Every structure is written in structure tokens, then in C-alpha cells.
């Protein structure tokens, strides 16, 4: 099935929709810069970004209240991907049934939701991605 659609913004003022990430697998994470669990997952995501960036979009969605902190955080922590936020946090959190941070979802190349929720980066996501790619004959 297709995931719920919401307008996302980034610190540069760009806007997009989750459907714009089609073409690669998309690992969508709902996180907060104040959550220690999320901060730990970002280190794994850096590894995934550098190792699997050719086939995997990293899409991290933060609460809109954190939007002003994004530039400083990404600079200080050498984050290579963009963080996004939603102007209507309540709707997107409800649509994705987010009850706690962090939570991740995986979309295939066509934008279809294939893991809801997905395994956390630190809990073996790379192996799960490998199994999915192998099962689909992509590797």
C-alpha cells in the first residue's frame, strides 16, 4: 500500500512530499533531536548513507518545533542527509501511527510501504534490507 502523504519542509525552505523519494528504497524515520534513542540511531544511519546511498534514501522527519535547530545540529554532527519536518505534526504522526520515537518505515522503489514499522537501524536493518533485495532479485 502507499503511505500517507504529507507536505514536508527542510531547513533550506524546500518542500517535498514522501512520493518524491521514489526511485530508491526510502527508510523513513520519525525522530526527535531530544531523544537519546534517536541520536544513537543517527550514527548507524551515517553508515547506511555512505554504504547504501546509491539505493537507499534516508528520510528523517522531526517535530516542527525543532526546525530552527536543524542547521546547527546537522553541522555539529556531520549529518550528510537532510532532515525534514511537517507543518502539521499531529496529522502525520496520526497517519503513520507514531506513538514514540524513534520509529522507522521502509518504502520500496515505487513508494509502496513494505515494512510498517521497519526494524531500527541498530537492530539489524541492514540485514533485513539485504534479505528484501535478495528476495526481489535486486542483488
Amino acid at each position: 500500500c502507499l503511505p500517507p502523504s504529507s507536505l514536508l519542509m527542510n531547513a533550506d525552505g524546500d518542500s517535498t512530499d514522501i512520493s518524491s523519494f521514489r526511485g530508491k528504497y526510502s527508510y523513513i524515520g520519525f525522530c526527535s533531536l531530544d531523544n537519546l534513542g534517536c541520536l544513537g540511531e543517527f550514527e548507524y544511519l551515517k553508515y547506511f548513507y555512505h554504504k547504501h546511498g546509491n539505493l537507499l534514501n534516508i528520510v528523517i522527519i522531526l517535530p516542527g518545533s525543532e526546525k530552527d535547530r536543524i542547521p546547527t545540529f546537522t553541522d555539529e554532527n556531520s549529518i550528510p542527509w537532510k532532515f525534514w519536518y511537517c507543518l502539521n505534526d499531529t496529522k502525520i504522526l496520526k497517519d503513520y501511527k507514531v506513538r514514540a520515537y524513534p520509529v522507522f518505515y521502509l518504502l520500496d522503489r515505487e513508494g509502496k510501504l513494505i515494512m510498517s514499522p521497519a526494524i531500527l537501524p541498530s537492530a539489524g536493518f541492514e540485514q533485513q534490507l539485504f534479505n528484501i533485495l535478495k528476495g526481489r532479485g535486486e542483488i
Side-chain angles (χ1 to χ4, degrees):
C1 75
L2 293 175
S5 182
S6 290
L7 180 66
L8 302 174
M9 307 288 293
N10 69 24
D12 297 330
D14 299 326
S15 63
T16 193
D17 184 274
I18 289 176
S19 64
S20 70
F21 297 108
R22 290 183 182 156
K24 292 183 180 182
Y25 285 84
S26 293
Y27 195 39
I28 300 174
F30 289 87
C31 295
S32 170
L33 300 178
D34 295 323
N35 182 292
L36 291 177
C38 294
L39 299 178
E41 299 300 337
F42 294 158
E43 293 304 312
Y44 288 91
L45 291 172
K46 284 181 195 178
Y47 166 79
F48 295 156
Y49 180 87
H50 292 294
K51 185 169 182 189
H52 304 294
N54 61 324
L55 60 94
L56 184 68
N57 291 311
I58 307 280
V59 181
I60 300 299
I61 302 172
L62 299 174
S65 60
E66 297 181 358
K67 68 182 179 181
D68 294 334
R69 296 171 52 198
I70 293 172
T72 301
F73 182 84
T74 55
D75 288 346
E76 289 177 355
N77 293 282
S78 303
I79 302 292
W81 65 88
K82 291 185 180 192
F83 282 117
W84 300 91
Y85 63 92
C86 187
L87 296 175
N88 186 347
D89 288 352
T90 305
K91 181 180 179 336
I92 197 169
L93 295 176
K94 183 179 177 184
D95 287 348
Y96 278 86
K97 298 177 176 74
V98 175
R99 292 188 171 84
Y101 297 124
V103 63
F104 286 80
Y105 299 86
L106 182 65
L107 280 59
D108 68 10
R109 294 177 191 274
E110 288 78 42
K112 293 180 183 166
L113 195 58
I114 57 173
M115 290 184 75
S116 174
I119 294 171
L120 292 176
S122 62
F125 173 74
E126 185 177 32
Q127 183 62 48
Q128 186 69 41
L129 179 63
F130 174 79
N131 291 341
I132 290 168
L133 294 172
K134 188 175 178 186
R136 291 176 167 222
E138 295 187 40
I139 55 170

CSV table of all heavy atoms in Angstrom, one decimal, residues 56-86:
chain,number,residue,atom,x,y,z
A,56,LEU,N,19.3,3.7,-1.3
A,56,LEU,CA,18.5,4.0,-0.1
A,56,LEU,C,18.5,5.5,0.2
A,56,LEU,O,19.5,6.1,0.4
A,56,LEU,CB,19.1,3.2,1.1
A,56,LEU,CG,18.3,3.3,2.4
A,56,LEU,CD1,17.0,2.5,2.2
A,56,LEU,CD2,19.1,2.6,3.5
A,57,ASN,N,17.3,6.0,0.2
A,57,ASN,CA,17.1,7.4,0.7
A,57,ASN,C,16.9,7.3,2.3
A,57,ASN,O,16.2,6.4,2.8
A,57,ASN,CB,15.7,8.0,0.2
A,57,ASN,CG,15.8,8.3,-1.2
A,57,ASN,OD1,16.7,8.9,-1.7
A,57,ASN,ND2,14.8,7.9,-2.0
A,58,ILE,N,17.6,8.2,3.0
A,58,ILE,CA,17.4,8.3,4.4
A,58,ILE,C,16.5,9.5,4.6
A,58,ILE,O,16.9,10.6,4.2
A,58,ILE,CB,18.7,8.5,5.2
A,58,ILE,CG1,19.7,7.5,4.8
A,58,ILE,CG2,18.5,8.7,6.7
A,58,ILE,CD1,19.6,6.2,5.5
A,59,VAL,N,15.3,9.3,5.1
A,59,VAL,CA,14.3,10.4,5.3
A,59,VAL,C,14.0,10.5,6.8
A,59,VAL,O,13.3,9.6,7.3
A,59,VAL,CB,13.1,10.2,4.5
A,59,VAL,CG1,12.1,11.3,4.6
A,59,VAL,CG2,13.4,9.9,3.0
A,60,ILE,N,14.5,11.5,7.5
A,60,ILE,CA,14.2,11.7,8.9
A,60,ILE,C,13.2,12.8,9.0
A,60,ILE,O,13.5,13.9,8.6
A,60,ILE,CB,15.5,11.9,9.7
A,60,ILE,CG1,16.5,10.7,9.5
A,60,ILE,CG2,15.2,12.2,11.2
A,60,ILE,CD1,15.9,9.4,10.0
A,61,ILE,N,12.1,12.6,9.7
A,61,ILE,CA,11.1,13.6,9.9
A,61,ILE,C,11.1,14.0,11.4
A,61,ILE,O,10.9,13.1,12.3
A,61,ILE,CB,9.7,13.1,9.5
A,61,ILE,CG1,9.8,12.7,8.0
A,61,ILE,CG2,8.7,14.2,9.8
A,61,ILE,CD1,8.6,12.0,7.5
A,62,LEU,N,11.4,15.2,11.7
A,62,LEU,CA,11.4,15.8,13.1
A,62,LEU,C,10.2,16.5,13.4
A,62,LEU,O,9.5,17.0,12.5
A,62,LEU,CB,12.6,16.7,13.2
A,62,LEU,CG,14.0,16.1,12.9
A,62,LEU,CD1,15.0,17.2,13.0
A,62,LEU,CD2,14.3,15.0,14.0
A,63,PRO,N,9.9,16.7,14.7
A,63,PRO,CA,8.8,17.6,15.0
A,63,PRO,C,9.0,19.0,14.5
A,63,PRO,O,10.2,19.5,14.5
A,63,PRO,CB,8.8,17.6,16.6
A,63,PRO,CG,9.6,16.4,17.0
A,63,PRO,CD,10.5,16.2,15.8
A,64,GLY,N,8.0,19.7,14.0
A,64,GLY,CA,8.1,21.0,13.5
A,64,GLY,C,8.7,22.0,14.5
A,64,GLY,O,9.4,23.0,14.1
A,65,SER,N,8.5,21.7,15.8
A,65,SER,CA,9.1,22.6,16.8
A,65,SER,C,10.6,22.6,16.9
A,65,SER,O,11.2,23.5,17.5
A,65,SER,CB,8.5,22.2,18.2
A,65,SER,OG,8.9,20.9,18.5
A,66,GLU,N,11.2,21.6,16.2
A,66,GLU,CA,12.7,21.5,16.2
A,66,GLU,C,13.3,22.1,14.9
A,66,GLU,O,14.5,22.1,14.8
A,66,GLU,CB,13.1,20.0,16.3
A,66,GLU,CG,12.7,19.5,17.7
A,66,GLU,CD,13.1,18.0,17.9
A,66,GLU,OE1,13.7,17.4,16.9
A,66,GLU,OE2,12.8,17.5,19.0
A,67,LYS,N,12.5,22.7,14.0
A,67,LYS,CA,13.0,23.1,12.7
A,67,LYS,C,14.2,24.1,12.8
A,67,LYS,O,15.1,24.1,12.0
A,67,LYS,CB,11.9,23.7,11.9
A,67,LYS,CG,11.3,25.0,12.4
A,67,LYS,CD,10.1,25.4,11.5
A,67,LYS,CE,9.6,26.7,12.1
A,67,LYS,NZ,8.5,27.2,11.3
A,68,ASP,N,14.1,25.0,13.8
A,68,ASP,CA,15.2,26.0,13.9
A,68,ASP,C,16.5,25.4,14.4
A,68,ASP,O,17.6,26.0,14.3
A,68,ASP,CB,14.8,27.1,14.9
A,68,ASP,CG,13.6,27.9,14.3
A,68,ASP,OD1,13.4,28.0,13.1
A,68,ASP,OD2,12.8,28.5,15.1
A,69,ARG,N,16.5,24.2,15.0
A,69,ARG,CA,17.7,23.6,15.5
A,69,ARG,C,18.4,22.7,14.4
A,69,ARG,O,19.5,22.3,14.6
A,69,ARG,CB,17.3,22.7,16.7
A,69,ARG,CG,16.8,23.5,17.9
A,69,ARG,CD,16.2,22.7,19.0
A,69,ARG,NE,17.1,21.6,19.4
A,69,ARG,CZ,16.8,20.5,20.1
A,69,ARG,NH1,15.5,20.4,20.4
A,69,ARG,NH2,17.6,19.6,20.4
A,70,ILE,N,17.7,22.5,13.3
A,70,ILE,CA,18.2,21.5,12.3
A,70,ILE,C,19.6,22.0,11.8
A,70,ILE,O,20.5,21.2,11.8
A,70,ILE,CB,17.2,21.3,11.2
A,70,ILE,CG1,16.0,20.6,11.7
A,70,ILE,CG2,17.8,20.5,10.0
A,70,ILE,CD1,14.8,20.5,10.8
A,71,PRO,N,19.8,23.2,11.3
A,71,PRO,CA,21.1,23.6,10.7
A,71,PRO,C,22.3,23.4,11.6
A,71,PRO,O,23.3,22.8,11.3
A,71,PRO,CB,20.9,25.0,10.3
A,71,PRO,CG,19.5,25.2,10.2
A,71,PRO,CD,18.8,24.3,11.2
A,72,THR,N,22.1,23.8,12.9
A,72,THR,CA,23.2,23.7,13.8
A,72,THR,C,23.5,22.2,14.1
A,72,THR,O,24.6,21.8,14.2
A,72,THR,CB,22.9,24.4,15.2
A,72,THR,OG1,22.7,25.8,14.8
A,72,THR,CG2,24.0,24.3,16.2
A,73,PHE,N,22.4,21.4,14.3
A,73,PHE,CA,22.6,20.0,14.7
A,73,PHE,C,23.3,19.3,13.5
A,73,PHE,O,24.2,18.5,13.8
A,73,PHE,CB,21.2,19.4,15.0
A,73,PHE,CG,21.3,17.9,15.3
A,73,PHE,CD1,21.6,17.6,16.7
A,73,PHE,CD2,21.2,16.9,14.4
A,73,PHE,CE1,21.7,16.2,17.0
A,73,PHE,CE2,21.3,15.6,14.7
A,73,PHE,CZ,21.6,15.2,16.0
A,74,THR,N,22.8,19.5,12.3
A,74,THR,CA,23.4,18.7,11.2
A,74,THR,C,24.9,19.1,11.0
A,74,THR,O,25.7,18.3,10.7
A,74,THR,CB,22.6,18.9,9.9
A,74,THR,OG1,22.5,20.3,9.6
A,74,THR,CG2,21.3,18.3,10.0
A,75,ASP,N,25.2,20.4,11.2
A,75,ASP,CA,26.6,20.8,11.0
A,75,ASP,C,27.5,20.2,12.1
A,75,ASP,O,28.6,19.7,11.9
A,75,ASP,CB,26.7,22.4,11.1
A,75,ASP,CG,26.2,23.0,9.9
A,75,ASP,OD1,26.0,22.3,8.8
A,75,ASP,OD2,26.0,24.3,9.9
A,76,GLU,N,27.0,20.3,13.4
A,76,GLU,CA,27.8,19.9,14.5
A,76,GLU,C,28.0,18.3,14.5
A,76,GLU,O,29.0,17.8,15.1
A,76,GLU,CB,27.2,20.3,15.8
A,76,GLU,CG,27.3,21.8,16.1
A,76,GLU,CD,26.6,22.2,17.4
A,76,GLU,OE1,25.9,21.4,18.0
A,76,GLU,OE2,26.7,23.4,17.7
A,77,ASN,N,27.1,17.6,13.9
A,77,ASN,CA,27.1,16.2,13.9
A,77,ASN,C,27.4,15.5,12.6
A,77,ASN,O,27.3,14.3,12.4
A,77,ASN,CB,25.8,15.6,14.5
A,77,ASN,CG,25.6,16.0,15.9
A,77,ASN,OD1,26.2,15.4,16.8
A,77,ASN,ND2,24.8,17.0,16.2
A,78,SER,N,27.8,16.4,11.6
A,78,SER,CA,28.2,15.9,10.3
A,78,SER,C,27.2,15.0,9.7
A,78,SER,O,27.5,13.9,9.2
A,78,SER,CB,29.6,15.2,10.3
A,78,SER,OG,30.6,16.1,10.8
A,79,ILE,N,25.9,15.4,9.7
A,79,ILE,CA,24.8,14.6,9.1
A,79,ILE,C,24.8,14.9,7.6
A,79,ILE,O,24.6,16.1,7.2
A,79,ILE,CB,23.5,15.0,9.8
A,79,ILE,CG1,23.5,14.8,11.3
A,79,ILE,CG2,22.3,14.3,9.1
A,79,ILE,CD1,23.6,13.4,11.8
A,80,PRO,N,24.9,13.9,6.8
A,80,PRO,CA,25.0,14.1,5.3
A,80,PRO,C,23.7,14.2,4.6
A,80,PRO,O,23.6,14.5,3.4
A,80,PRO,CB,25.8,12.9,4.9
A,80,PRO,CG,25.5,11.8,5.8
A,80,PRO,CD,25.3,12.5,7.2
A,81,TRP,N,22.6,13.8,5.3
A,81,TRP,CA,21.3,13.8,4.6
A,81,TRP,C,20.5,15.0,5.2
A,81,TRP,O,20.9,15.6,6.2
A,81,TRP,CB,20.5,12.5,4.8
A,81,TRP,CG,20.2,12.2,6.2
A,81,TRP,CD1,19.1,12.6,6.9
A,81,TRP,CD2,21.0,11.5,7.2
A,81,TRP,NE1,19.1,12.2,8.2
A,81,TRP,CE2,20.3,11.5,8.4
A,81,TRP,CE3,22.2,10.9,7.1
A,81,TRP,CZ2,20.8,10.9,9.6
A,81,TRP,CZ3,22.7,10.3,8.3
A,81,TRP,CH2,22.0,10.3,9.5
A,82,LYS,N,19.4,15.3,4.6
A,82,LYS,CA,18.5,16.4,5.1
A,82,LYS,C,17.5,15.9,6.1
A,82,LYS,O,17.0,14.8,5.9
A,82,LYS,CB,17.8,17.1,3.9
A,82,LYS,CG,18.7,17.9,3.0
A,82,LYS,CD,17.9,18.6,1.9
A,82,LYS,CE,18.9,19.4,1.1
A,82,LYS,NZ,18.3,20.3,0.2
A,83,PHE,N,17.3,16.7,7.1
A,83,PHE,CA,16.2,16.5,8.0
A,83,PHE,C,14.9,17.2,7.5
A,83,PHE,O,15.1,18.3,6.9
A,83,PHE,CB,16.5,17.0,9.4
A,83,PHE,CG,17.4,16.1,10.2
A,83,PHE,CD1,18.6,16.6,10.6
A,83,PHE,CD2,17.0,14.8,10.5
A,83,PHE,CE1,19.5,15.8,11.3
A,83,PHE,CE2,17.9,14.0,11.3
A,83,PHE,CZ,19.1,14.5,11.7
A,84,TRP,N,13.8,16.6,7.7
A,84,TRP,CA,12.5,17.2,7.2
A,84,TRP,C,11.6,17.4,8.4
A,84,TRP,O,11.8,16.7,9.5
A,84,TRP,CB,11.8,16.3,6.2
A,84,TRP,CG,12.7,16.1,5.0
A,84,TRP,CD1,13.6,15.1,4.8
A,84,TRP,CD2,12.7,16.9,3.8
A,84,TRP,NE1,14.2,15.2,3.6
A,84,TRP,CE2,13.7,16.3,2.9
A,84,TRP,CE3,12.0,18.0,3.4
A,84,TRP,CZ2,13.9,16.9,1.7
A,84,TRP,CZ3,12.3,18.6,2.2
A,84,TRP,CH2,13.3,18.0,1.3
A,85,TYR,N,10.7,18.3,8.3
A,85,TYR,CA,9.6,18.4,9.4
A,85,TYR,C,8.3,18.7,8.7
A,85,TYR,O,8.3,19.0,7.5
A,85,TYR,CB,10.0,19.6,10.3
A,85,TYR,CG,10.1,20.9,9.7
A,85,TYR,CD1,8.9,21.8,9.7
A,85,TYR,CD2,11.3,21.4,9.2
A,85,TYR,CE1,9.0,23.0,9.1
A,85,TYR,CE2,11.3,22.7,8.6
A,85,TYR,CZ,10.2,23.5,8.6
A,85,TYR,OH,10.3,24.7,8.0
A,86,CYS,N,7.3,18.5,9.4
A,86,CYS,CA,5.9,18.6,8.8
A,86,CYS,C,5.2,19.8,9.5
A,86,CYS,O,5.3,19.9,10.7
A,86,CYS,CB,5.2,17.3,9.0
A,86,CYS,SG,3.6,17.3,8.2
